[in-house]
Amino acid sequence: METPADPRPGDEEFDGFRMQLPEDCVEYMLFVIGEKTDNNLPSLEAVRKAADKKLDELAKDYIWQRDPFKLETRTQKGLGLPYLYGTTHYGDNVEDEWLIVYLLRELSKSFPSLWIRVSDSDGEFLLIEAAKVTPKWLSPENDANRVWIHDGKLLIIPLSIPTNSSTTTTTTTGSTISSSPSSNSKPLTLREAIDTLRTVPPTALVHSPLIDAEAFYRLEKYPAQIAASVHHSLVTIPRKLAYVLHARPAAVAPATEAFYLRDPHALKPLLRSSSSAADNSLTFPPTDLVTVSVRFTKVLYAQLKSQRFAPPPPAWRQLLHAAEVEAASASAASVSASAGPGPREGREREEEAKKKLARLDMGMKLTTGFEILCQTPPEQSASRVVREVGLLLGDLAEDGGDSALPTDDEIARWEGVQREDDDGWMDIDFRDFERELDGEKGKAKMGDGEGGGFGDANAQADLQKIVSRFEAFLNDESAGIEGAEIDEMDLDNDDDDSDKEGYEDGTDEDEDKEVSFDEERYSRMMREMMGLPAEDVGQASWNAKVSAEEPDEQGENDDEAIRKMMEQMESELKGLGALDLDPKPRKATTTIKERGEGKPDPAPSEQNEEEEEEEEEESDKEVDIDYNLAKNLLESFKSQAGMAGPAGNLLGLMGMTLPRDEEGPDDSE
């Protein structure tokens, strides 16, 4: 299906090249659509002020990962009306994106004439969330500009607007909208979408409570998620940095990102600095350290906590070494005191020394991030927060430098200065994780009152939803012998005309030859592999061919053919002892035990004679299926090297658990 080409330079509709969104970036547009004669239509400035006010109410002093939520007025050629536009780079913290969606959805409930479009680098990510319940005609090829948030609902512009007859509507910009049910499924341009929203009532658009529930599923945890995403931690940092973070708490985000994404070039000035703590080349030298509580988001805290920074900058090495020595001595004293009268005091000293070392290590990482930020002049930074930090440091230098910093008593009066949250959410208990993956089975095995959940409630809910969707896919009863159903949106319809002509000319006959299936050869190979006699394979294959070549008589001979086939299979299985309820070992085959614990080794002369006889009779002996199965299964399990694999999965489904393979000295021989 041909799609309209994008406007080119010189065309009337051309308004610049369309820029692709970078990774981890969300884009949002806000339109006020209604009759111009309606005096109740809000202005764009009123909508922008309402959005800022709503953000202050929901997430005041929220720490954005990279870019904050912002709106600016834009005009685009051909649209016929201005609109509010914004982009936010959320980096690794996807919660920033969903906070914006929650804010925009709540804003749409306050303005009945407000229409909002939001997308990211993946496209219509709200449709991706609701992919299970979206209409089948909706695909990534035609979903552009069709999804809108209006009055708190998710509305979709259909392929055609149903009416009693096939008509067209002329819009204010001169374009036409077809209301014929046979309208093709071409992608919409933004101008066509705006014209549709202007001329069509919201009731004519596609809306479903199921789509709303799936698309906005992540919003159920808001606004409580805003406070739940914050983590407070005690860190040991220079007094000057404590002053900066107290005045600009949001500055922790760019500093953490700078440390997390550091490169050798950015670290050169720090690693070349003097080992003296009073190095004048540093903006935040570790001379006057204080321990204060710093507010992070959980993503920022995890980024900083998980990084290993070795070797540390020279100015911090002596401090860290002294803290490590103190922690080691406290640990040794705790071990020696465990047999004495005061083991509790020893453990407390050990824990306190370890906490002191961890806080100093976190402070060193955070200070290094600020040092990297200050290498570039703040006025050249694109981040408003970084520019504010530069102005704050300039004002501090004008006021007297270190003498203007707060004292210990003033710092003690700061709100929440000693607050420290538990970071147990970073610890993963794989037993809890396995129980969550097992779903109801895991809960039944665990019991109602045993154990806790994996992570917090939100993590459990998300994990259970993933598992339930996967189980629903596997247990789909509507799938037939062809397997999973493939929607039209999953098919590639971009073939050119030459490919279509080649297909129409009869290339399917060659494809049939390439994928032809030799039933007789396949049956013979399977029977030889299973150790079954192969003399009747030709007869069975001939019967199958005869039944296929005589479709008129097939209905009459089906029952007879099936009965004969079943009798033949039953006789063969009985001959092999597969149907014996109480099988007895036969002399013709050897068991696994006999192979390992057989007769003693014969003399060399006897062994040569036996080998010659075995070579003659080898072709007549049947394959020991049990031995080969066990051998192959154990070799496959051993090759997994303790990791997950097909053999371990099959045995787990059968309720069998093999011990780990601990190789002994004889195994390598």
Side-chain angles (χ1 to χ4, degrees):
M1 183 179 299
E2 297 183 357
T3 58
D6 294 334
R8 298 182 178 181
D11 296 344
E12 182 180 355
E13 298 84 3
F14 182 73
D15 189 33
F17 292 103
R18 171 67 174 169
M19 300 298 293
Q20 295 291 333
L21 283 176
E23 289 292 329
D24 305 328
C25 188
V26 60
E27 177 186 52
Y28 34 94
M29 305 177 182
L30 288 74
F31 295 86
V32 176
I33 299 177
E35 297 293 337
K36 294 183 179 180
T37 57
D38 188 359
N39 296 327
N40 294 326
L41 281 180
S43 63
L44 293 180
E45 184 63 21
V47 174
R48 189 186 63 80
K49 290 182 179 179
D52 294 339
K53 182 180 179 181
K54 181 72 69 174
L55 181 61
D56 290 339
E57 295 175 355
L58 295 174
K60 187 178 181 180
D61 298 330
Y62 181 79
I63 300 176
W64 300 92
Q65 184 76 12
R66 291 190 182 174
D67 299 335
F69 173 81
K70 59 183 180 297
L71 292 173
E72 60 182 16
T73 303
R74 275 196 179 185
T75 57
Q76 184 172 334
K77 188 176 180 180
L79 286 183
L81 78 165
Y83 60 96
L84 294 175
Y85 176 85
T87 57
T88 297
H89 198 183
Y90 54 84
D92 291 336
N93 192 2
V94 73
E95 293 297 337
D96 286 1
E97 180 180 30
W98 287 106
L99 174 59
I100 291 174
V101 176
Y102 176 75
L103 173 65
L104 295 176
R105 187 189 183 195
E106 294 299 314
L107 187 65
S108 69
K109 298 177 182 178
S110 303
F111 297 95
S113 57
L114 185 61
W115 293 79
I116 301 172
R117 164 173 158 72
V118 58
S119 61
D120 63 8
S121 53
D122 294 329
E124 304 292 345
F125 66 94
L126 292 177
L127 288 184
I128 296 176
E129 292 290 320
K132 188 70 175 177
V133 293
T134 52
K136 290 186 177 297
W137 54 263
L138 200 59
S139 68
E141 287 76 18
N142 62 15
D143 65 353
N145 300 308
R146 292 187 183 274
V147 183
W148 295 82
I149 299 176
H150 176 70
D151 196 21
K153 303 174 183 177
L154 192 72
L155 301 180
I156 303 174
I157 299 177
L159 297 180
S160 60
I161 307 300
T163 58
N164 295 332
S165 61
S166 178
T167 60
T168 57
T169 302
T170 303
T171 65
T172 57
T173 59
S175 61
T176 59
I177 301 174
S178 173
S179 58
S180 172
S182 60
S183 176
N184 55 10
S185 58
K186 66 177 183 179
L188 278 181
T189 63
L190 183 59
R191 188 182 72 174
E192 291 173 342
I194 295 299
D195 290 340
T196 303
L197 298 179
R198 279 173 166 172
T199 56
V200 173
T203 54
L205 306 182
V206 177
H207 172 257
S208 170
L210 292 177
I211 297 179
D212 280 358
E214 291 293 326
F216 299 133
Y217 169 76
R218 294 175 181 259
L219 303 185
E220 295 178 358
K221 54 188 177 182
Y222 284 91
Q225 175 63 20
I226 300 174
S229 64
V230 177
H231 181 85
H232 294 80
S233 177
L234 289 174
V235 296
T236 302
I237 53 179
R239 188 181 299 269
K240 182 191 292 187
L241 183 55
Y243 166 74
V244 171
L245 286 174
H246 179 68
R248 296 291 184 273
V252 70
T256 302
E257 283 269 308
F259 177 78
Y260 187 70
L261 303 176
R262 66 192 182 277
D263 55 25
H265 178 73
L267 292 176
K268 274 186 179 180
L270 300 179
L271 297 179
R272 289 177 179 175
S273 61
S274 172
S275 59
S276 174
D279 190 353
N280 294 329
S281 64
L282 300 177
T283 306
F284 302 99
T287 53
D288 186 10
L289 301 180
V290 293
T291 301
V292 295
S293 179
V294 176
R295 181 161 57 93
F296 300 88
T297 63
K298 288 186 175 180
V299 174
L300 292 173
Y301 180 79
Q303 286 180 333
L304 206 62
K305 183 77 172 178
S306 61
Q307 287 286 297
R308 183 178 180 183
F309 190 32
W316 288 82
R317 290 177 186 173
Q318 187 175 356
L319 295 172
L320 288 171
H321 179 70
E324 291 173 354
V325 171
E326 182 180 354
S329 60
S331 178
S334 176
V335 173
S336 61
S338 60
R344 181 176 179 181
E345 291 77 3
R347 287 194 300 268
E348 291 178 354
R349 286 194 298 269
E350 179 185 7
E351 292 177 1
E352 188 63 29
K354 289 182 178 179
K355 287 182 179 180
K356 182 179 178 180
L357 175 60
R359 293 166 184 171
L360 185 62
D361 183 68
M362 285 286 290
M364 179 266 296
K365 297 175 183 177
L366 186 58
T367 306
T368 302
F370 274 95
E371 293 286 356
I372 295 174
L373 278 183
C374 294
Q375 291 177 9
T376 303
E379 59 273 8
Q380 299 180 8
S381 176
S383 174
R384 178 181 177 182
V385 176
V386 176
R387 295 195 299 268
E388 291 177 351
V389 170
L391 293 175
L392 189 63
L393 291 175
D395 295 340
L396 181 63
E398 294 177 359
D399 294 340
D402 294 345
S403 60
L405 294 176
T407 62
D408 292 342
D409 293 337
E410 292 174 343
I411 293 177
R413 289 194 294 268
W414 289 352
E415 183 180 358
V417 69
Q418 294 298 320
R419 178 177 175 180
E420 186 173 25
D421 298 336
D422 183 19
D423 61 356
W425 50 269
M426 290 188 62
D427 300 330
I428 298 177
D429 189 340
F430 288 97
R431 291 174 297 181
D432 294 338
F433 184 74
E434 290 291 341
R435 283 198 293 265
E436 293 293 339
L437 288 179
D438 290 339
E440 298 298 331
K441 297 178 182 178
K443 293 180 181 178
K445 294 178 181 178
M446 180 182 63
D448 296 335
E450 297 181 10
F454 167 71
D456 54 12
N458 295 327
Q460 296 179 39
D462 292 340
L463 184 59
Q464 290 172 358
K465 185 176 183 181
I466 293 173
V467 175
S468 63
R469 284 184 174 181
F470 185 72
E471 290 179 348
F473 173 77
L474 293 179
N475 299 328
D476 186 6
E477 298 180 356
S478 62
I481 60 175
E482 300 295 335
E485 179 183 358
I486 302 178
D487 297 333
E488 294 181 359
M489 62 178 290
D490 297 324
L491 300 178
D492 186 7
N493 55 0
D494 296 333
D495 298 338
D496 50 20
D497 296 337
S498 61
D499 294 339
K500 294 181 180 179
E501 291 176 359
Y503 180 78
E504 293 173 357
D505 290 342
T507 57
D508 53 347
E509 182 178 353
D510 297 334
E511 294 177 0
D512 290 342
K513 292 180 180 180
E514 294 178 2
V515 297
S516 60
F517 178 69
D518 191 342
E519 181 181 358
E520 180 178 354
R521 184 181 178 187
Y522 176 76
S523 300
R524 183 173 64 253
M525 292 173 61
M526 291 297 296
R527 295 173 71 88
E528 291 176 357
M529 185 171 60
M530 297 180 64
L532 300 178
E535 55 267 14
D536 295 334
V537 176
Q539 182 68 21
S541 176
W542 182 84
N543 291 337
K545 290 182 179 179
V546 170
S547 61
E549 294 172 357
E550 299 178 359
D552 296 337
E553 301 177 1
Q554 184 175 1
E556 300 176 0
N557 299 332
D558 276 349
D559 295 340
E560 183 67 18
I562 293 175
R563 186 181 63 80
K564 291 181 179 180
M565 183 69 71
M566 293 297 294
E567 291 178 355
Q568 182 180 357
M569 291 177 61
E570 184 178 0
S571 61
E572 292 177 357
L573 292 174
K574 284 183 177 179
L576 295 172
L579 300 181
D580 293 344
L581 298 179
D582 188 15
K584 298 179 180 180
R586 295 179 297 167
K587 297 181 180 179
T589 60
T590 58
T591 63
I592 299 176
K593 184 175 181 181
E594 290 173 352
R595 289 175 181 263
E597 302 178 1
K599 298 178 180 180
D601 296 337
S605 58
E606 297 177 358
Q607 185 175 0
N608 294 335
E609 296 176 359
E610 291 180 0
E611 288 179 356
E612 293 177 358
E613 295 177 359
E614 288 178 358
E615 290 177 357
E616 296 175 357
E617 299 177 358
E618 185 175 0
S619 59
D620 299 333
K621 286 189 177 181
E622 297 179 355
V623 180
D624 190 349
I625 303 175
D626 295 338
Y627 173 78
N628 288 336
L629 176 62
K631 179 182 178 183
N632 294 334
L633 199 58
L634 291 175
E635 288 180 352
S636 177
F637 182 79
K638 183 178 181 180
S639 66
Q640 296 176 188
M643 305 296 289
N649 293 339
L650 289 174
L651 293 173
L653 292 174
M654 293 184 291
M656 301 173 61
T657 303
L658 293 180
R660 296 190 62 176
D661 182 50
E662 303 291 346
E663 293 190 357
D666 299 335
D667 295 340
S668 59
E669 296 181 359

